[in-house]
Amino acid sequence: MRDDLNTFRKEVRDWLENNCPEEMRSPIESEKDACWGGREFTFQSESQRLWLERMGQKGWTAPDWPTEYGGGGLNGEQLKILNQEMARINARPALFSFGISMLGPALLKYGNEEQKQMFLPPIVRGEIRWAQGYSEPNAGSDLANLQAPAVDMGDHYILNGSKIWTSYGDDGDWMFCLVRTDSDAPKHQGISFMLFDMKTPGITVRPINLISGLSPFCEVFFEDVSIPKEQQVGELNKGWSIAKYLLTHEREMISWTGLSKAGADPLGETAMEIIGGTDGILDDSILRTDIARFEVDEMAFALTIERARDEVKAGVSLGAVSSWFKFFGTELNKQRYNLLMDIHGNDALAWTGEASDDGKLARDWLRTKGNSIEGGTSEIQLNIVAKHILGLPG
Ligand SMILES: Cc1cc2nc3c(=O)[nH]c(=O)nc-3n(C[C@H](O)[C@H](O)[C@H](O)COP(=O)(O)OP(=O)(O)OC[C@H]3O[C@@H](n4cnc5c(N)ncnc54)[C@H](O)[C@@H]3O)c2cc1C
């Protein structure tokens, strides 16, 4: 077994050496470095395109998915080796994809064979970019209150209503969406999970402009949108179970923001460079203590995540633990950026101008606050931890 893994490691190392373009061997610095794939994606470079193509063909954009759906078919040990070998050369993820981190696991569990064959291989190859149609103006934390009605018309549904805060809704090719299919049933029991092409007639997407000057979110309006019945996932009115399962994957994905980026300088080194120190010890003793405390927490979190991943590979369901991870990971990332702001002092507040990299640090710092809202707010995660992990009364 050990020999097999050593052989596998060598194969992975050789493959990465031969196939990961040099330009893809550095941390992602900004949104534009991230490859999201999809029908209309504009690659930043030929290296970015090649890296996606090669990783997609190998199935390593979804390394632990079954090979019959285009995935890499790796087991837990092999997956760990792939991750280690990618980190060794600072290889970037070839693809960021809600299809891989959110929809795919739900389709693998709840989709029928036809749906798996139709959607999973193109997701692995980065050919479909997905948008998440969950939140509505009166359904955020209380998600089960969603109202968008989908009416049964025989062989299809007709969808009306709207969604809000849809990340990259204007770039999405398809949407996975929660709709109301029974308005008389108790609210959790009248929801269904549907998939549709964003080019279907009757869909209007309107970006929401933020104070930062960006519009990463959209409102999406539905006017008599026709959804073929084959695009309903799972049973009618049982969409809430799928929604919750998908959220555990979304929360786990968001919790990774707590882990430091491969290749990024540790905070202590950054602080030494900017503030300075004596004999390798940072001069500012308060900051030194805060950074040390942060680094211990970060290490403990990384080890806990790794242990949980091993448990998941052994068949244990992450369930409510994903809420704890999401809470802790996003708090940790906020703490990391608070410390970076302290380290950089007044310069960190610059919003424009070349010296500030057009306010990158300040903008990234603000973005960390969104991490503890998206996928369910910190308060909601703590409610879940209290109820489902600590067993406290609801
Ligand atoms: C960066 C970002 C990306 C997003 N992307 C998407 C997306 O792609 N698709 C999508 O569908 N949605 C998306 N969302 C929406 C997100 O899921 C909601 O914002 C979130 O669930 C909170 O809902 P809300 O904004 O309606 O706030 P509300 O539910 O109105 O909450 C307001 C405040 O009240 C608190 N609160 C509410 N209920 C309780 C309670 N029971 N106990 C304690 N406190 C409570 C909340 O914690 C919060 O502080 C995104 C949000 C962000 C910030």
Side-chain angles (χ1 to χ4, degrees):
M1 181 64 182
R2 210 33 48 208
D3 282 353
D4 288 355
L5 288 178
N6 286 339
T7 309
F8 178 73
R9 185 182 293 280
K10 176 154 187 342
E11 279 167 19
V12 171
R13 191 171 288 190
D14 290 348
W15 189 88
L16 288 173
E17 230 16 277
N18 293 327
N19 288 283
C20 180
E22 202 51 48
E23 221 187 307
M24 297 293 107
R25 300 184 190 198
S26 59
I28 299 239
E29 291 296 345
S30 69
E31 178 64 32
K32 73 174 172 41
D33 292 338
C35 174
W36 286 91
R39 287 194 293 236
E40 315 210 345
F41 187 72
T42 309
F43 290 97
Q44 282 299 309
S45 62
E46 178 57 13
S47 301
Q48 192 185 48
R49 192 196 64 74
L50 257 184
W51 184 219
L52 172 61
E53 183 180 284
R54 290 171 177 169
M55 285 289 275
Q57 273 169 3
K58 193 91 181 147
W60 283 357
T61 48
D64 54 349
W65 288 10
T67 47
E68 68 257 44
Y69 304 125
L74 303 191
N75 63 32
E77 296 281 9
Q78 292 170 325
L79 179 62
K80 208 183 283 180
I81 289 174
L82 174 62
N83 289 336
Q84 286 166 350
E85 291 301 316
M86 285 182 66
R88 197 183 65 85
I89 59 165
N90 281 333
R92 306 178 171 177
L95 179 64
F96 287 78
S97 158
F98 293 169
I100 287 174
S101 53
M102 296 197 241
L103 177 64
L107 274 181
L108 281 167
K109 186 170 160 93
Y110 294 97
N112 60 33
E113 191 51 35
E114 210 179 340
Q115 290 166 338
K116 290 180 193 174
Q117 292 292 352
M118 177 167 173
F119 293 111
L120 295 174
I123 288 176
V124 172
R125 295 192 298 267
E127 291 167 5
I128 310 177
R129 187 165 179 179
W130 291 86
Q132 179 185 30
Y134 271 35
S135 307
E136 294 181 10
N138 288 313
S141 298
D142 186 9
L143 182 61
N145 194 41
L146 63 97
Q147 301 297 327
V151 177
D152 191 336
M153 305 298 283
D155 62 347
H156 65 285
Y157 297 96
I158 289 291
L159 175 65
N160 279 284
S162 67
K163 295 287 168 180
I164 195 166
W165 312 126
T166 315
S167 297
Y168 313 114
D170 47 350
D171 292 322
D173 301 317
W174 277 66
M175 174 176 274
F176 52 89
C177 189
L178 297 177
V179 300
R180 181 145 308 275
T181 36
D182 187 343
S183 49
D184 296 328
K187 62 182 181 181
H188 296 91
Q189 292 165 31
I191 294 170
S192 298
F193 191 101
M194 299 199 183
L195 312 173
F196 47 83
D197 192 317
M198 293 291 279
K199 290 221 167 14
T200 313
I203 300 179
T204 308
V205 181
R206 199 175 295 154
I208 302 170
N209 290 319
L210 303 185
I211 196 170
S212 63
L214 303 172
S215 335
F217 307 117
C218 299
E219 285 178 282
V220 182
F221 300 91
F222 309 119
E223 205 182 327
D224 293 336
V225 176
S226 172
I227 307 174
K229 282 206 169 155
E230 305 82 73
Q231 290 166 208
Q232 176 199 311
V233 180
E235 284 179 56
L236 185 67
N237 295 325
K238 298 275 172 63
W240 186 244
S241 302
I242 309 178
K244 282 195 300 181
Y245 181 73
L246 186 145
L247 277 173
T248 62
H249 286 272
E250 178 176 10
R251 288 168 182 163
E252 192 207 351
M253 169 193 72
I254 297 171
S255 75
W256 296 345
T257 56
L259 304 174
S260 61
K261 275 188 277 180
D265 289 335
L267 279 185
E269 280 177 27
T270 309
M272 281 297 280
E273 214 173 279
I274 291 174
I275 297 173
T278 316
D279 297 332
I281 297 174
L282 195 63
D283 284 340
D284 182 329
S285 61
I286 295 179
L287 193 55
R288 194 169 69 221
T289 310
D290 288 345
I291 291 176
R293 197 170 283 142
F294 170 83
E295 289 187 343
V296 170
D297 284 348
E298 188 186 37
M299 205 182 291
F301 184 60
L303 289 171
T304 309
I305 289 256
E306 197 171 322
R307 194 190 65 214
R309 278 187 189 158
D310 284 348
E311 286 171 3
V312 167
K313 294 293 156 224
V316 176
S317 157
L318 202 53
V321 173
S322 63
S323 291
W324 184 83
F325 283 170
K326 201 225 163 207
F327 172 75
F328 197 83
T330 53
E331 288 304 318
L332 205 55
N333 198 35
K334 283 198 275 188
Q335 178 66 4
R336 174 187 292 117
Y337 274 87
N338 285 344
L339 287 168
L340 276 171
M341 295 299 277
D342 287 347
I343 292 168
H344 287 266
N346 287 345
D347 292 346
L349 296 172
W351 193 246
T352 52
E354 220 170 287
S356 73
D357 203 4
D358 268 336
K360 182 172 176 344
L361 179 54
R363 286 167 209 269
D364 287 350
W365 171 64
L366 286 175
R367 180 63 183 83
T368 64
K369 297 175 191 305
N371 294 143
S372 49
I373 300 174
E374 64 196 321
T377 64
S378 285
E379 289 77 15
I380 294 303
Q381 305 317 311
L382 289 177
N383 285 350
I384 294 172
V385 169
K387 193 167 166 198
H388 297 285
I389 298 182
L390 302 178
L392 299 176

